[in-house]
Amino acid sequence: RDAALDNGADVDVIVVGNGPLGSAIARHIASEHRDKSVVVLDSETLTSGSNDLGRIVRPLDAEGRDDWTALNCDSIEAFESMERESGIVFFDPRGSMFLGSETFVERGASRLRARGVPHERASGGGSEFVKTWPFLSAEGIPETYHAAWDSVGGYVNPHKMRAAQNMLMRKENANARVTSGTCVRVQSKGDGESERTRVWMSDGNTYTCGLCVMACGAYTEALARESGLLSTLDASTGVGLGGIKISRRTVVLAEVLESEVNTALASMPTIKYEVPQEVLDRARVKSATGTSDQSRNEAKSVYVLPPIYYPGPNPSPGWYVKIGGGPQDFMDKSGEQSWIRTERELEEWMSSEGDEDVADQLHDILLHMFPKTNFQCLIPKACATTTTDDGTLVIETLGSGSDVVAVSACQGKAAGPADAIGGRGAGTC
C-alpha cells in the first residue's frame, strides 16, 4: 500500500474496494484518464471472499449466458499482456471442463461455438472419460453424461492478479495510489452543501472526490443503503442494486499427496460438474432458495479446481483441491437494514468454517467424483457472493449528482472476468 491520504484530502476518483473487481476498475480508470488522481481504498478489516489461491476462469459460462461468456473471453485474452507488462504471473491455463447431462453441457458449449472458442466433446460417461482423465470415477459418473473441454480456461490467483492490476495502475498513472482504509459512508455532491462527493472513513477521516466507485463485494449494497443512495429504488422488484441478495457460501480445501499431483492429477483441468440426481437425493442440503437460472444451476452442480500449492500457515503447507457449489443460502434482508448489521453478519460468517452440512455434502461429492484419490484432510471455509434474480451484473449510477457508481451482483464468478468487468465499469464512470 501507498501512503495514507491526509484528512480532508481531495482527489478526482476514489474506488472503494481493492479486490479483483475494484483493482481492475481503478486500473482502467487510471489508464484512460492519466491526468486524474485515483485512490483505491483497501480495507484491512472487511472481506467477503474466501482467502484461497485459485478462482476459476473459463470461456464457457455455466448458465450459457452471452454477456458472461463475452466477459470471460475478453479477460482471458488480456491476461498475457497484463502478466508481461506487470511482471506478475497470476493465470494458470490448465483448461476447463464441463461434465453433465447433454442439456447441461450443451448450454455452455453452444456459446463456445458462437464465440469460435476451440473445444472438444465426448460422451459415454465415466467409463469413457477415465480413458482421458484417470482420476475420475468410472462407475459413479452416469454413462449418459457428456463432457466439453477447452485449453483456453484455467484459474487465476486472485491475490497476484490484484497485485498486477495495482502495479499496472501505478505504472500507467503517476497520480494513482492504493491506501489502507474502510469507507463507511458516501454523500453525493447533490445531497449536501459541498460541490464534491464526500467519503467518510472508519477512523473518522473524510475525503472528497469528483467520483466515487463502490466495488466492495457483498458490502456494496449495504454501503449504498447506509449512504441513503437507494431511496429511489424499490428493492422488492429484484432489479438493480436494491434487489441484490447476499448468499452464504461454503468451500472445501482437500489436501492431496504431492505424488498424486505429479501423476494421477497432473492433467486435471478446472471442472464444473452436474451432480447426479441420486447423489443429490442423499444430500442433507436439498433445495435452492432462489428462482434464477444461476441459483438452480448452483443447486445441482459443483466446481472443482486442480491441486494448488498453499505455502501456509493457514492452511498448513501442501497441495489442495478446492470444491464449492450447492444451494444458495441467502441472508435475511427483511426488517431494518443497516451497514452495521450487514458488517456484523458478514464478519461472523467469514470467521466461521462455513456450513457443516454443506461441507459434508461437498466431501461426499468429492469422493464420488474422485474415488481413487487419497485425500489427506478437509478444510471448510466460508465466503459470500452477491446475486440477482435475473443473473445480471449490476453497474449502476447513484446519487442526485450522478457521481457515485456501484458495481455488484457478480454471481460468484467475477474474479476471472474482473478485468473485462473493470473496463465496463470504467466506461460507465
Side-chain angles (χ1 to χ4, degrees), residues 2 6 18 93 99 225 262 267 297 301 313 324 350 380 393:
D2 302 302
D6 293 330
N18 191 36
L99 290 174
R225 187 183 296 275
N262 297 324
S267 63
N297 195 49
S301 64
M350 293 304 300
L393 174 72

Side-chain angles (χ1 to χ4, degrees), residues 103-218:
T103 300
F104 180 83
V105 172
E106 174 60 21
R107 183 167 52 223
S110 63
R111 304 276 65 77
L112 292 184
R113 290 195 300 273
R115 293 277 306 190
V117 177
H119 63 285
E120 299 182 64
R121 294 284 297 267
S123 59
S127 59
E128 288 296 318
F129 300 155
V130 294
K131 297 176 183 177
T132 305
W133 303 288
F135 51 82
L136 291 174
S137 171
E139 295 80 22
I141 298 176
E143 61 183 29
T144 57
Y145 267 26
H146 290 240
W149 67 97
D150 62 79
S151 59
V152 176
Y155 64 86
V156 296
N157 180 315
H159 306 288
K160 290 185 177 181
M161 184 170 68
R162 178 181 65 173
Q165 294 284 17
N166 290 165
M167 179 173 289
L168 290 172
M169 178 187 72
R170 295 185 183 99
K171 184 177 179 180
E172 296 165 358
N173 187 325
N175 301 308
R177 67 166 79 176
V178 179
T179 186
S180 176
T182 300
C183 172
V184 295
R185 185 166 174 256
V186 177
Q187 183 182 65
S188 171
K189 63 186 178 183
D191 297 333
E193 298 178 359
S194 174
E195 295 182 356
R196 304 284 280 174
T197 309
R198 188 173 296 277
V199 174
W200 279 265
M201 306 298 291
S202 61
D203 61 4
N205 285 351
T206 62
Y207 310 133
T208 55
C209 59
L211 174 72
C212 179
V213 183
M214 298 178 179
C216 41

Side-chain angles (χ1 to χ4, degrees), residues 351-384:
S351 63
S352 74
E353 295 183 345
D355 186 301
E356 183 178 353
D357 286 340
V358 173
D360 287 344
Q361 182 171 317
L362 292 173
H363 176 212
D364 292 344
I365 294 171
L366 200 61
L367 296 180
H368 154 78
M369 293 178 67
F370 303 89
K372 297 183 287 291
T373 302
N374 183 17
F375 294 108
Q376 300 298 293
C377 69
L378 302 171
I379 301 174
K381 299 173 74 70
C383 63

Side-chain angles (χ1 to χ4, degrees), residues 393-405:
L393 174 72
V394 173
I395 303 177
E396 194 164 299
T397 303
L398 306 173
S400 56
S402 298
D403 52 342
V404 181
V405 173

Side-chain angles (χ1 to χ4, degrees), residues 251-383:
V251 301
V252 170
L253 296 179
E255 187 178 10
V256 294
L257 297 172
E258 186 173 5
S259 59
E260 291 191 278
V261 173
N262 297 324
T263 54
L265 300 175
S267 63
M268 180 180 170
T270 67
I271 301 173
K272 183 70 171 178
Y273 181 62
E274 182 181 22
V275 183
Q277 189 59 50
E278 59 267 25
V279 178
L280 290 177
D281 289 341
R282 297 194 298 268
R284 288 175 284 277
V285 184
K286 294 189 177 295
S287 61
T289 54
T291 59
S292 69
D293 287 343
Q294 200 261 353
S295 287
R296 288 191 290 268
N297 195 49
E298 284 291 287
K300 66 177 183 179
S301 64
V302 296
Y303 64 86
V304 189
L305 278 79
I308 298 173
Y309 182 77
Y310 284 73
N314 183 25
S316 59
W319 293 87
Y320 293 85
V321 168
K322 175 185 172 185
I323 181 172
Q328 306 274 13
D329 178 18
F330 295 117
M331 289 186 173
D332 182 15
K333 289 184 63 176
S334 62
E336 185 68 23
Q337 292 293 304
S338 72
W339 170 263
I340 295 176
R341 172 180 165 182
T342 300
E343 182 180 359
R344 183 183 68 250
E345 290 182 354
L346 280 172
E347 182 180 5
E348 291 175 354
W349 173 249
M350 293 304 300
S351 63
S352 74
E353 295 183 345
D355 186 301
E356 183 178 353
D357 286 340
V358 173
D360 287 344
Q361 182 171 317
L362 292 173
H363 176 212
D364 292 344
I365 294 171
L366 200 61
L367 296 180
H368 154 78
M369 293 178 67
F370 303 89
K372 297 183 287 291
T373 302
N374 183 17
F375 294 108
Q376 300 298 293
C377 69
L378 302 171
I379 301 174
K381 299 173 74 70
C383 63

Side-chain angles (χ1 to χ4, degrees), residues 80-100:
E80 182 178 359
S81 63
M82 288 175 60
E83 290 181 330
R84 182 179 63 253
E85 293 169 14
S86 69
I88 300 174
V89 177
F90 57 83
F91 175 52
D92 190 331
R94 293 291 295 271
S96 53
M97 177 168 62
F98 263 48
L99 290 174

